Amino acid sequence: MVGTIVNTGSIIVGTLLGALLHRGIKERYRNVLYDGLGLASLAIGLNATISHLSKSQYPVLFILSLAIGGIIGVALDLDGRFSRLISRHSKGQEGSRLAQGLSLAILLYCIGPLSMLGPVISALKGDNTFLFTNATLDFVSSTVFASTYGVGMVLAAPVLFLWQGMFYLIASLSSSAISPALMDELLIVGGLLITGSGLSLLKIKDCHVLNLLPSLPVPVIWFAIKALLG
């Protein structure tokens, strides 16, 4: 778990540094950062999806995942609940922006080969190289996020810790539970969620990405059922 602890710490430190810069950034510069984050999210998300789509054993699984997950998310009103929760502790427009920033940051921190494969390799081989590399990237990203959205972005750190901790625990209990095929499907769906966040940031289309978050467990359930049926 050393790698995950370092990764989580890098986000906390980066957020605190970015929060100091946040106070001195004028609104027009923040708008430029929003646009930059939006474009970066589109590039990262599309790259994750396209690069793993050709490896998928079930080309329509990601479509079913988004459909099923989206229906569940809307029924639970995940996006609305999250926005209201953040806004309750923040001021007006700032609360809305923080909710948007947190949803994007959590996806970028958690959905990616380094963040998902890192804890698995750490558990199986004791090698934290992926996680240390991811920590460096997340330090830079968290500094930019906090300089744009404020210190509230530190809330993404415990989410990352729990996410990577889950992968670490599963891999520790069963080395075959997280297969490369399952990882491909998760990255395809996750990449599309990040892309949706980018579209929202650029004000092209509000995809209400948090309502699509239940799409991620769908491939896991599919592979679990497949394993049970033999």
Side-chain angles (χ1 to χ4, degrees):
M1 287 291 287
V2 173
T4 293
I5 292 172
V6 171
N7 200 163
T8 304
S10 71
I11 292 176
I12 295 174
V13 174
T15 300
L16 294 176
L17 176 60
L20 293 175
L21 300 174
H22 174 74
R23 299 175 183 176
I25 297 180
K26 295 181 180 179
E27 184 67 23
R28 65 177 183 272
Y29 296 118
R30 290 184 194 176
N31 290 333
V32 170
L33 287 175
Y34 291 139
D35 292 341
L37 288 172
L39 291 172
S41 300
L42 287 180
I44 293 170
L46 288 173
N47 178 66
T49 297
I50 294 171
S51 61
H52 291 88
L53 196 56
S54 60
K55 303 175 186 177
S56 174
Q57 297 179 3
Y58 310 97
V60 298
L61 181 57
F62 78 96
I63 300 175
L64 291 174
S65 298
L66 290 172
I68 295 171
I71 290 172
I72 294 172
V74 169
L76 297 175
D77 190 24
L78 295 180
D79 188 83
R81 290 173 185 268
F82 183 75
S83 296
R84 288 192 293 272
L85 176 64
I86 299 299
S87 298
R88 193 179 305 158
H89 301 284
S90 305
K91 296 179 181 179
Q93 186 67 19
E94 285 298 315
S96 177
R97 283 187 167 182
L98 177 59
Q100 184 182 50
L102 270 174
S103 63
L104 172 58
I106 289 170
L107 286 171
L108 286 177
Y109 295 155
C110 296
I111 309 299
L114 294 176
S115 188
M116 293 165 68
L117 287 174
V120 174
I121 294 174
S122 177
L124 298 179
K125 301 180 179 180
D127 183 357
N128 291 303
T129 304
F130 273 26
L131 289 174
F132 290 157
T133 302
N134 200 55
T136 304
L137 296 173
D138 286 349
F139 172 76
V140 176
S141 300
S142 60
T143 302
V144 175
F145 274 123
S147 67
T148 308
Y149 296 102
V151 73
M153 296 300 293
V154 76
L155 294 173
V159 177
L160 174 85
F161 181 82
L162 294 174
W163 174 258
Q164 290 188 355
M166 177 189 69
F167 277 93
Y168 185 92
L169 180 61
I170 293 173
S172 298
L173 296 175
S174 174
S175 59
S176 60
I178 305 175
S179 65
L182 172 57
M183 197 68 72
D184 286 332
E185 301 299 337
L186 289 173
L187 287 169
I188 291 170
V189 176
L192 288 173
L193 297 186
I194 294 174
T195 302
S197 293
L199 292 174
S200 298
L201 267 180
L202 293 170
K203 296 182 175 59
I204 296 175
K205 167 69 177 177
D206 188 352
C207 298
H208 300 288
V209 174
L210 289 179
N211 283 340
L212 293 169
L213 210 54
S215 303
L216 282 172
V218 175
V220 178
I221 296 171
W222 170 265
F223 275 79
I225 294 173
K226 183 172 174 288
L228 289 174
L229 295 178

